[in-house]
Amino acid sequence: MTGPMAPQRQDTRKFVENLSGAGKSIAVLTSGGDAQGMNAAVRAVVRMGIYVGAKVYFIHEGYQGMVDGGDNIKEATWESVSSMLQVGGTVIGSARCKEFRTHEGRLKAAHNLVQRGITNLCVIGGDGSLTGANLFREEWSGLLNELQEEGLIDEEAVHNHSELHIVGMVGSIDNDFCGTDMTIGTDSALHRIIEVVDAIMTTAQSHQRTFVLEVMGRHCGYLALVSALACGADWVFIPEMPPEDGWEDNMCQKLSESRARGSRLNIIIVAEGASDSQGQHITSDFVKNNRADKKRLNIIIVAEGAIDCHNKAITPDYIKDLVVSHLGFDTRVTILGHVQRGGTPSAFDRILASRMGVEAVLALLEASTNTPACVVSLVGNQAVRLPLMECVQMTQEVQKAMDEKKFEEAVRLRGRSFENNLSTYRLLASRKADSELPNGEEEKKSGDEEQCNSSFNVAVLNVGAPAAGMNAAVRSAVRVGITEGHKMFAVNDGFEGFYKGQIKEISWGDVGGWTGQGGSLLGTKRTLPGKHLEKIAEQIRIHNINALLVIGGFEAYMGLLELSSARDTYSEFCVPMVMIPATVSNNIPGSDLSIGSDTALNAITDTCDRIKQSASGTKRRVFIIETMGGYCGYLATVGGLAAGADTVYIFEEDFDIRDLQNNVEHLTQKMKTSIQRGLVLRNENSNENFTTDFIYQLYSEEGRGVFDCRKNVLGHMQQGGTPSPFDRNFGTKVAAKAIQWITRMLKESYKGGRVFTNSEDSACLLGMRRRAMVFQPVAQLQEETDFVHRIPKEQWWLKLRPVMKILAKYKTSYDMSDSGQLEHVTQVRPKESDFSAAI
């Protein structure tokens, strides 16, 4: 939702060491509803502020603390934010403050800030909190003049504090703020919701039950929508998409037919304020009382603010009653409530908040008289600065569109992330009911009969090591493929199963319940196709495979290269082929992120939290943790940022014995403070000689008498477990987009009664690059690849290493060229081409 960023030239790079906070005072506060990750943001603001030489203050209890002053405004130290990273809520407190809404209240607040020399304010909260901050900034000059007239401050104080700079970070679990793809706390709230859904599924399957879940989102259905995608809900109600007339019968019909196909579970998710288009409230109990067939489990998700097309509010009770009365299904209602706000922040929220906190301090240091109050946002995978009031205005436009029942307009204003989630949900929910099909048969291909008398055949396979989220991607691909009119074929055990003929058609129902399953249900092997090309070509011919979707890691990438290179020899490979990166190592060229890496990061973060906690009683202990990743240091670096590591050793950044000695000395000094523990992460292949055992023994010897050491090799626990909400959602969306690309390519390459294409752009990798999802020919990606070490030659996350080092109190060089430009919020959509499309 932002305008394109101008490319940065080498000679225009900006480094943080050229900025100084000396003589400046920064205050940080959290306001409005709490959100997991707020503490990580506070920690980053405090440590980055101290790093650049500024004084940093906590304002406790939000705007109320600013108005009351006194002990509510305290100077922060480096140690005072230790142990905050893994704590949910907000340690410095948040409170609603009616007094700050008055002129008198803001006058008191201004006086309290001037007394401490504070003219830089970092506000973490929702749109109401940020709007209040902007009003405070606009009134600042007048407030100082009033204080001078009242004799509370002198003319020198007015002159020295003449400007108030404001930078905002959005902390809201609802993700209802325009201008950013994700707000702090949203991912953690999704973790809570999915944890509950996963737990409910087991009991619901046991008893053939329907569950209606109410989630937060009184005005925004993001949590309901994404959780519905992540758990494969049968139905979802959100404010932005009120159901049409007759939705009750349609929903009950689909639930009934789902049961008849053998499913034991139905889940309905309802947003807290859901309603129909007439404004009638629909409750969870309403749905419970309406059900009657053989599917033993239905999931219906209702967003807190969902309405139908008549503006009738939709509540869990209403839905429960509907299901029970229409279908007779055993139905239960679960209202998640404030569980969604609580708990430990996810790895994603810690990383997001840490990046945003550092960026907020840099924005304050660079602010000038003419700089508007800005909000630090995330667009794609990039931090950007946007004018605060432009974002607030667009957020308010969403509500206006909702009030006027312009729901499509509201969805568009929500931004591309919300829009893409909704389009993916609609795509996956578009399968016609059995009753709508002729003679009860499976749906036939709806494509151009002139092109093809039967469906195109599309094969899906997993290649490489298993990664959480692979199954969600396969499910999405199969169902979208069937919706597009294709016959979908599953290949078991990767390329090895391909040449052995382990191929069978896979149906809609075969992939039910796959979103929450870890590993690879199709089976996966590291075998490359190169030695078996002839047999694979034969299997493609036997099964008349017209397109390939490969989901996997570096072996999948190399396999696709081998297949596309063999097209001159085997015409069977002259079909559209696309790869989706799925590996915990996140080492695939052409993509900033891979399916599975977020789940692995959460495993690392959770383990580090427990390990750090174990040191709370013993004190003076350093833990050496080895992570996976091959030669790629992504997991170690980003996991270290999320866990608050002191040092991270990776292959991409050379280190020697002197560095190790300096790190030991750094930890020795740390043990003299109140933070008497250390955390060191090492990527498994970071150095051939400086092994985990060597580093452990070195630290143990050099730290003798000061601290003791423990080591832990995390191993394959990073590959296991249920996929995180991010990986489920990411896998679902990218697979849907890949199948749509395949459909387009099939139509373009169907000539003379067969599919044939051998162009470079018909063998692609679909990956996220900065702000967009891009289809890139794998042949062109070879130049970007270090095949010896199986990593990209350039990796975006290396720019996060200085952030990690700064927050661990190391002096380092930090290039801030990418994020130092204020952009404007726009409603322009990136143009979609064959090779590039915004996600």
Side-chain angles (χ1 to χ4, degrees), residues 97-156:
C97 182
K98 292 182 180 179
E99 195 173 357
F100 188 76
R101 297 177 184 177
T102 67
H103 183 79
E104 291 75 16
R106 293 191 290 276
L107 190 65
K108 290 181 183 178
H111 186 213
N112 289 327
L113 294 187
V114 170
Q115 282 183 314
R116 295 162 178 80
I118 299 169
T119 55
N120 296 280
L121 200 57
C122 181
V123 180
I124 308 166
D127 61 330
S129 302
L130 299 180
T131 302
N134 188 68
L135 175 62
F136 190 43
R137 176 181 177 273
E138 290 175 346
E139 293 181 347
W140 182 255
S141 180
L143 293 172
L144 294 194
N145 289 333
E146 284 187 53
L147 291 171
Q148 183 184 1
E149 290 171 6
E150 293 178 16
L152 296 175
I153 61 173
D154 56 24
E155 185 176 350
E156 184 180 0

Side-chain angles (χ1 to χ4, degrees), residues 274-566:
S275 62
D276 66 14
S277 60
Q278 300 301 317
Q280 180 176 335
H281 210 54
I282 301 177
T283 69
S284 51
D285 283 339
F286 171 83
V287 181
K288 169 188 171 185
N289 300 320
N290 288 288
R291 157 189 121 174
D293 71 4
K294 298 178 183 177
K295 178 173 179 186
R296 296 199 57 142
L297 173 60
N298 300 103
I299 305 180
I300 302 176
I301 299 182
V302 187
E304 185 180 26
I307 57 175
D308 73 8
C309 59
H310 299 296
N311 256 352
K312 179 169 65 178
I314 302 173
T315 67
D317 289 339
Y318 177 68
I319 297 170
K320 169 189 168 185
D321 294 340
L322 174 66
V323 173
V324 171
S325 65
H326 280 54
L327 302 176
F329 288 178
D330 182 9
T331 306
R332 297 289 188 271
V333 172
T334 298
I335 298 175
L336 271 63
H338 284 75
V339 165
Q340 296 157 89
R341 288 194 187 277
T344 301
S346 66
F348 183 97
D349 273 329
R350 300 185 198 195
I351 297 159
L352 172 66
S354 297
R355 292 176 67 184
M356 299 299 98
V358 168
E359 184 69 22
V361 172
L362 297 179
L364 287 171
L365 293 181
E366 292 188 299
S368 63
T369 305
N370 299 322
T371 304
C374 77
V375 61
V376 180
S377 300
L378 180 75
V379 179
N381 195 34
Q382 188 176 1
V384 297
R385 303 175 193 172
L386 302 171
L388 188 155
M389 290 315 295
E390 287 186 17
C391 296
V392 169
Q393 183 178 358
M394 187 168 289
T395 304
Q396 293 170 346
E397 286 293 318
V398 173
Q399 191 56 51
K400 181 181 177 183
M402 298 274 287
D403 294 339
E404 296 174 355
K405 300 183 183 179
K406 297 178 180 177
F407 298 109
E408 291 297 327
E409 175 70 6
V411 169
R412 187 179 66 82
L413 290 169
R414 282 268 184 239
R416 63 179 184 173
S417 177
F418 190 96
E419 207 169 8
N420 190 262
N421 282 311
L422 185 57
S423 64
T424 304
Y425 173 78
R426 284 171 170 165
L427 195 61
L428 288 166
S430 64
R431 183 180 190 269
K432 292 181 180 178
D434 294 346
S435 57
E436 299 176 78
L437 300 176
N439 301 319
E441 296 177 359
E442 287 296 317
E443 189 170 359
K444 304 296 184 184
K445 182 184 185 310
S446 58
D448 188 348
E449 293 297 326
E450 219 173 63
Q451 283 189 333
C452 184
N453 292 324
S454 62
S455 306
F456 288 117
N457 294 345
V458 180
V460 182
L461 64 157
N462 293 336
V463 178
M470 275 183 165
N471 296 320
V474 172
R475 170 189 176 271
S476 176
V478 168
R479 292 195 168 180
V480 172
I482 291 171
T483 300
E484 297 272 301
H486 309 312
K487 282 185 179 178
M488 301 301 295
F489 288 81
V491 181
N492 295 115
D493 297 335
F495 288 117
E496 183 174 317
F498 210 149
Y499 81 78
K500 290 180 179 178
Q502 297 172 202
I503 305 167
K504 64 178 181 179
E505 187 174 353
I506 188 167
S507 68
W508 186 280
D510 290 337
V511 293
W514 280 32
T515 53
Q517 298 292 317
S520 168
L521 294 174
L522 286 185
T524 181
K525 301 280 187 180
R526 295 180 181 271
T527 307
L528 293 175
K531 296 180 181 180
H532 311 284
L533 292 173
E534 186 174 348
K535 290 182 179 179
I536 292 174
E538 181 183 359
Q539 291 298 328
I540 289 177
R541 190 166 57 251
I542 291 171
H543 292 90
N544 190 28
I545 302 299
N546 306 121
L548 286 179
L549 172 60
V550 185
I551 303 168
F554 206 85
E555 291 86 357
Y557 166 61
M558 293 183 67
L560 204 58
L561 279 172
E562 291 180 0
L563 292 182
S564 59
S565 298

Side-chain angles (χ1 to χ4, degrees), residues 144-282:
L144 294 194
N145 289 333
E146 284 187 53
L147 291 171
Q148 183 184 1
E149 290 171 6
E150 293 178 16
L152 296 175
I153 61 173
D154 56 24
E155 185 176 350
E156 184 180 0
V158 173
H159 179 266
N160 292 339
H161 305 91
S162 59
E163 295 176 5
L164 178 67
H165 300 298
I166 300 284
V167 171
M169 285 182 276
V170 188
S172 166
I173 68 167
D174 293 334
N175 201 32
D176 56 353
F177 193 81
C178 292
T180 186
D181 288 348
M182 286 287 275
T183 56
I184 296 168
T186 303
D187 186 69
S188 299
L190 286 171
H191 273 257
R192 300 296 92 77
I193 294 170
I194 296 304
E195 285 167 8
V196 170
V197 173
D198 285 349
I200 279 175
M201 279 186 170
T202 55
T203 184
Q205 285 173 330
S206 300
H207 298 279
Q208 293 195 72
R209 281 180 178 153
T210 294
F211 268 87
V212 184
L213 275 71
E214 180 184 277
V215 302
M216 285 186 168
R218 188 174 297 280
H219 303 294
C220 177
Y222 185 89
L223 288 180
L225 178 59
V226 174
S227 57
L229 279 173
C231 74
D234 296 88
W235 206 275
V236 65
F237 294 92
I238 60 173
E240 296 86 351
M241 188 178 65
E244 299 292 337
D245 289 342
W247 67 267
E248 294 94 337
D249 291 336
N250 291 336
M251 183 187 74
C252 290
Q253 179 69 35
K254 288 207 171 186
L255 295 181
S256 178
E257 291 177 348
S258 176
R259 287 293 177 95
R261 289 191 295 269
S263 178
R264 298 176 61 88
L265 164 70
N266 299 113
I267 297 286
I268 303 170
I269 298 185
V270 188
E272 188 179 9
S275 62
D276 66 14
S277 60
Q278 300 301 317
Q280 180 176 335
H281 210 54
I282 301 177

